[in-house]
Amino acid sequence: MPFRGDIDLSMIEGDSISLSYFLHARVVKNSSGDSYARAYISDPLEIEDGGVSLEWSEPPVPVSPQTTLRICDEEFDDSRYRINSDGTVTDLRTALQWQRCPSGFLLADQGTPDLSDDRCEPDANATAERAWQQALTDTEADSSAGHDDWRLPNIKELESLVAQCSIPTIEPAVFPDTPIQLGFWSSTATAAPGSQPDRIWQVAFSSGDIGYSTATESAYLRLVRNSGDTPLAPLPALYAERSAVFEGDSGDTELLMPVTLLRPSDSVVTVDYEVVSPNAHATDGVDFDSMAGSLSFAPGETRKDVRVTIYGDTEVEKREYLHLKLSNPSANSRIGKRVGLGTIIDDEPWIRFARHSTHTPEGNSGENRSLRVPILLDKPAAAPVTVEYRLENDTADTGADIENATGTVTFAAGERLQHVELATIGDNTPENDEAILLVLSNPVGGRLVGGEISQRVFLIDDDAYAGTYAALNDTGVVDCATPDSALLDCPQAGFPGQDGETGRDADPATNSDADGNDGFSFVKVAMDGTPLANQLGSYSTDPWACVEDNVTGLTWEVKTPGGANDLHSASWTYSWFNSSGIDDGGLAGIENGGTCVDGTNCDTEKFVAAVNAEALCGYTDWRLPTIEELYTILDLGFYYHEYDSKFFPNQGFPSGARTWSSSTAVLPETMGIPATGKYAWTMTNIGMSKWNKEEASIYSMPRVRLVRGGNQ
């Protein structure tokens, strides 16, 4: 977990200093192949291994190669969350009010403007972990912050807090010190007949996973109530993006720090900005000129650049960082990403891999494949630059899956690109995709981040492969449970405040099945964007192209029958691909890797472009949904937790089939599969049409269902 606070660097000559910092650790290997743990303090927005190195472990530690995790930013985003003085927080998107600290914790030192002192400390007079029945009864008696209507959140409400970052997967400035040793209880019990009746849905904020737990086990609880506010209207979102520039040896150059509007507005959008250096990475007036001002987006405009003057020098130094901070958006917009990182790159050439990853089919026996891994200097050098390379086993083995290789790469003066030549050892055995580590070390005339860098080279098995909301939806669960039985009437004595007692699906006025199962409300829409006159007809007699969700404000693509030779067939699969560099988890993915109607739009990015060119249902802002959005239309009240086939027909997805989201995922190395940035969240048919949230490698080829609207 990140640790926030003050550290006294008394070893520094002169006066001691204190700073707000992130403490994190990574695993590195020395030239002998021994693994060591190394601790750092650094700014959370740095993209390289910067900051101050604290210590190395001794002796070496037996762990797998390093994983790069995107740490949740500490910057407080008041465009989504409102911190209340009573120890609660309101999610403006959903109008839900949450306890900032879990039950059994006390909020300490609240009040610093940047929230850096806000802490959740264990209450010596209370228990934080408790069984589900105790959680329900304790919730009923809770009157914290002067409210007596606190309740355990249902599973969709609880999952809405999951952030697409790590350590932990919840915003640390809003919900400080969230424990990750155990999961958090929801009020949602399993509804499937024949299943174990004591299974309760949980969210684990260590990974963002959703899963079951038995009612007698212990878990944490964070309570929720309806704030009474109106949910945040869907507005165009302003994003402060990342940027970089070479500083030069002398004179000045210009760093363009982009601000993008995620979708265009039909009226003028304004936002204030300032450019500063975090923790004095760069010196104002020496390395750059700080600045502040306001940006104005005319109707239809989606990008503005803040132009920052950067001053060159000949000093050998680490990278320097600038933050572009957004504030005060106009009322017709919101801030989606408040802080953008600008990087000033030193001129002595850095040696790096030219791509996030490299992959090749392994080939069949006797048909070994050659592979050239590009190595790049970030600028030409006046003299030759060399770097040594070697291979290390990961899930693939040298000598069995790939020819062993060691040597030296040499860049002649003025050259920026060279290659390491590798050769696979093919086979005819269906197996998982494998990876080998290519390690660069011992540079001469250039620099490596951390002194040594590595990249996975993936050997793709060619034998195994055949080819935000207006509001949250409810769960569809209308029954209650005890540890001994499920599908019971509500309420149940001794087990108060369950999911089935609250929400739209428990309200007779809103749980009619005519427009969707209990509490859901959908509208069938024709290709031209008009609602169908007969909302009760079947797809075979009166087909529709889209479904509007009256609760969330989202509009969903409807798939055509499997086997249909059109753009929206349920049979087509797609590779995950995002070439924008925005929210891509550090990896663009695979271009055109699936199987689709024309063979050229078979990745998620191109499929989105094709559907927007078609103007499906009259809209041109279709996109890949987030995992939270896919989860909103999952009905947990159905026998197998499914999508309502009365509105989402032609699902045709076999057991094990997946549906892509835009949300990248974090997986621990201990699972023996590649690290962060190579996985994205999917909704997965885990058997008998029962769907759940799971991670998938971007080298897999799931289906896609597009969405538009909402707050994304």
Side-chain angles (χ1 to χ4, degrees):
M1 293 179 61
F3 180 83
R4 292 170 299 152
D6 293 328
I7 183 169
D8 183 16
L9 302 179
S10 58
M11 293 184 293
I12 295 179
E13 293 183 4
D15 295 334
S16 63
I17 62 173
S18 63
L19 69 158
S20 177
Y21 71 97
F22 258 61
L23 174 64
H24 61 101
R26 60 184 290 259
V27 175
V28 296
K29 288 190 175 183
N30 63 16
S31 58
S32 300
D34 295 325
S35 297
Y36 288 82
R38 191 173 189 178
Y40 292 85
I41 55 172
S42 70
D43 181 84
L45 279 183
E46 288 183 9
I47 59 175
E48 302 289 354
D49 297 323
V52 179
S53 176
L54 297 180
E55 61 182 21
W56 290 73
S57 66
E58 185 67 37
V61 292
V63 293
S64 58
Q66 69 187 67
T67 299
T68 302
L69 303 180
R70 185 172 73 83
I71 299 174
C72 284
D73 297 344
E74 293 253 315
E75 194 76 20
F76 169 48
D77 180 6
D78 59 7
S79 66
R80 174 172 180 180
Y81 292 109
R82 182 180 67 230
I83 305 298
N84 306 314
S85 60
D86 59 2
T88 66
V89 58
T90 302
D91 187 340
L92 302 177
R93 294 188 189 178
T94 62
L96 294 175
Q97 186 175 3
W98 296 87
Q99 294 176 335
R100 291 191 68 195
C101 294
S103 294
F105 288 77
L106 297 174
L107 183 63
D109 300 322
Q110 181 178 3
T112 302
D114 64 2
L115 308 180
S116 62
D117 290 336
D118 292 8
R119 306 307 304 265
C120 288
E121 299 176 349
D123 183 354
N125 299 315
T127 300
E129 311 93 357
R130 60 204 86 182
W132 188 59
Q133 180 179 15
Q134 189 65 47
L136 292 170
T137 57
D138 289 351
T139 297
E140 188 176 42
D142 195 298
S143 60
S144 58
H147 301 295
D148 58 5
D149 57 347
W150 292 108
R151 54 184 170 82
L152 271 185
N154 67 46
I155 189 60
K156 291 188 177 179
E157 292 170 332
L158 189 60
E159 200 277 340
S160 72
L161 299 182
V162 174
Q164 297 306 313
C165 49
S166 62
I167 323 179
T169 55
I170 189 170
E171 296 297 342
V174 180
F175 303 100
D177 304 309
T178 295
I180 60 175
Q181 296 87 349
L182 302 173
F184 277 72
W185 286 125
S186 77
S187 63
T188 308
T190 55
S195 66
Q196 298 183 42
D198 63 346
R199 299 253 173 165
I200 313 298
W201 288 101
Q202 281 190 359
V203 171
F205 287 106
S206 57
S207 61
D209 285 337
I210 298 171
Y212 297 123
S213 187
T214 57
T216 56
E217 294 179 9
S218 293
Y220 300 108
L221 53 153
R222 174 174 272 120
L223 305 187
V224 70
R225 60 182 296 273
N226 298 324
S227 69
D229 294 341
T230 301
L232 186 70
L235 296 173
L238 292 152
Y239 280 74
E241 308 292 3
R242 297 192 174 212
S243 56
V245 70
F246 293 106
E247 68 175 0
D249 294 333
S250 62
D252 58 70
T253 187
E254 197 171 58
L255 171 64
L256 300 182
M257 303 190 75
V259 178
T260 58
L261 197 60
L262 195 58
R263 60 177 184 264
S265 173
D266 56 5
S267 57
V268 175
V269 170
T270 61
V271 65
D272 294 338
Y273 71 87
E274 64 171 337
V275 177
V276 296
S277 180
N279 299 329
H281 264 286
T283 303
D284 188 11
V286 175
D287 299 305
F288 79 109
D289 284 338
S290 61
M291 57 190 306
S294 180
L295 298 175
S296 179
F297 293 78
E301 285 189 318
T302 57
R303 172 169 172 155
K304 290 289 185 180
D305 290 322
V306 176
R307 299 175 177 271
V308 184
T309 299
I310 306 299
Y311 297 107
D313 59 48
T314 58
E315 295 182 18
V316 176
E317 53 195 347
K318 291 184 177 181
R319 291 188 170 189
E320 297 164 320
Y321 299 99
L322 304 179
H323 282 181
L324 170 62
K325 297 186 176 183
L326 303 182
S327 62
N328 302 321
S330 53
N332 60 340
S333 65
R334 66 180 181 87
I335 293 178
K337 186 171 184 293
R338 183 170 299 277
V339 181
L341 180 69
T343 305
I344 305 172
I345 304 174
D346 192 40
D347 290 322
E348 187 176 6
W350 286 88
I351 304 168
R352 63 188 63 207
F353 292 101
R355 300 173 186 164
H356 290 296
S357 69
T358 308
H359 55 86
T360 184
E362 65 178 359
N364 296 321
S365 296
E367 300 176 359
N368 297 359
R369 301 293 184 91
S370 61
L371 174 65
R372 305 179 78 211
V373 181
I375 312 298
L376 185 69
L377 295 184
D378 62 5
K379 59 170 289 185
V385 175
T386 63
V387 64
E388 297 177 7
Y389 66 87
R390 68 180 187 274
L391 294 181
E392 291 184 357
N393 291 348
D394 190 42
T395 54
D397 296 326
T398 57
D401 301 300
I402 192 168
E403 298 286 355
N404 198 13
T406 60
T408 301
V409 174
T410 300
F411 297 84
E415 285 187 335
R416 291 190 59 202
L417 181 66
Q418 284 292 341
H419 296 83
V420 173
E421 305 284 346
L422 303 176
T424 68
I425 301 175
D427 60 49
N428 296 323
T429 303
E431 57 191 344
N432 293 330
D433 297 340
E434 299 170 310
I436 201 79
L437 280 176
L438 176 60
V439 183
L440 302 182
S441 61
N442 301 322
V444 176
R447 293 189 290 179
L448 290 171
V449 174
E452 187 171 282
I453 60 174
S454 63
Q455 181 186 84
R456 280 186 175 85
V457 177
F458 291 95
L459 311 179
I460 307 302
D461 180 52
D462 46 13
D463 305 303
Y465 285 90
T468 277
Y469 335 106
L472 276 178
N473 262 325
D474 226 308
T475 61
V477 174
V478 295
D479 304 298
C480 285
T482 69
D484 300 316
S485 186
L487 299 176
L488 303 175
D489 293 336
C490 296
Q492 283 293 313
F495 299 86
Q498 294 189 46
D499 183 0
E501 300 177 53
T502 61
R504 290 175 48 84
D505 51 13
D507 184 352
T510 56
N511 70 356
S512 167
D513 285 351
D515 61 345
N517 193 38
D518 299 311
F520 291 85
S521 179
F522 298 120
V523 176
K524 302 172 183 176
V525 179
M527 180 65 187
D528 64 1
T530 59
L532 262 61
N534 179 16
Q535 289 287 315
L536 301 180
S538 67
Y539 185 89
S540 60
T541 59
D542 196 7
W544 57 98
C546 302
V547 167
E548 291 181 357
D549 187 333
N550 290 326
V551 179
T552 66
L554 300 172
T555 303
W556 293 91
E557 173 203 15
V558 170
K559 309 308 287 189
T560 56
N565 191 31
D566 68 74
L567 186 63
H568 304 281
S569 171
S571 298
W572 304 136
T573 62
Y574 303 86
S575 57
W576 195 94
F577 184 66
N578 177 0
S579 66
S580 69
I582 302 170
D583 294 333
D584 64 353
L587 190 66
I590 298 176
E591 191 172 6
N592 196 35
T595 302
C596 66
V597 61
D598 56 7
T600 61
N601 296 307
C602 305
D603 61 60
T604 55
E605 186 175 86
K606 291 181 180 60
F607 179 57
V608 168
V611 173
N612 282 326
E614 178 193 44
L616 176 66
C617 295
Y619 298 116
T620 58
D621 58 347
W622 293 96
R623 56 184 171 80
L624 201 61
T626 65
I627 189 61
E628 291 82 6
E629 289 171 330
L630 276 173
Y631 201 61
T632 63
I633 56 173
L634 186 65
D635 192 334
L636 305 181
F638 276 131
Y639 188 96
Y640 288 120
H641 313 146
E642 61 191 26
Y643 298 111
D644 191 343
S645 60
K646 297 192 302 296
F647 292 87
F648 299 96
N650 310 319
Q651 296 185 53
F653 298 159
S655 177
R658 304 172 185 265
T659 304
W660 279 127
S661 79
S662 63
S663 307
T664 54
V666 174
L667 289 182
E669 280 283 331
T670 53
M671 296 181 68
I673 39 185
T676 301
K678 301 175 180 66
Y679 286 79
W681 287 105
T682 66
M683 291 302 297
T684 302
N685 184 346
I686 59 177
M688 299 294 290
S689 297
K690 182 177 177 181
W691 294 78
N692 199 15
K693 171 185 172 183
E694 290 189 353
E695 308 95 335
S697 166
I698 63 165
Y699 300 101
S700 59
M701 305 297 164
R703 274 75 166 175
V704 171
R705 186 189 300 280
L706 299 187
V707 74
R708 64 161 301 277
N711 269 308
Q712 298 301 316

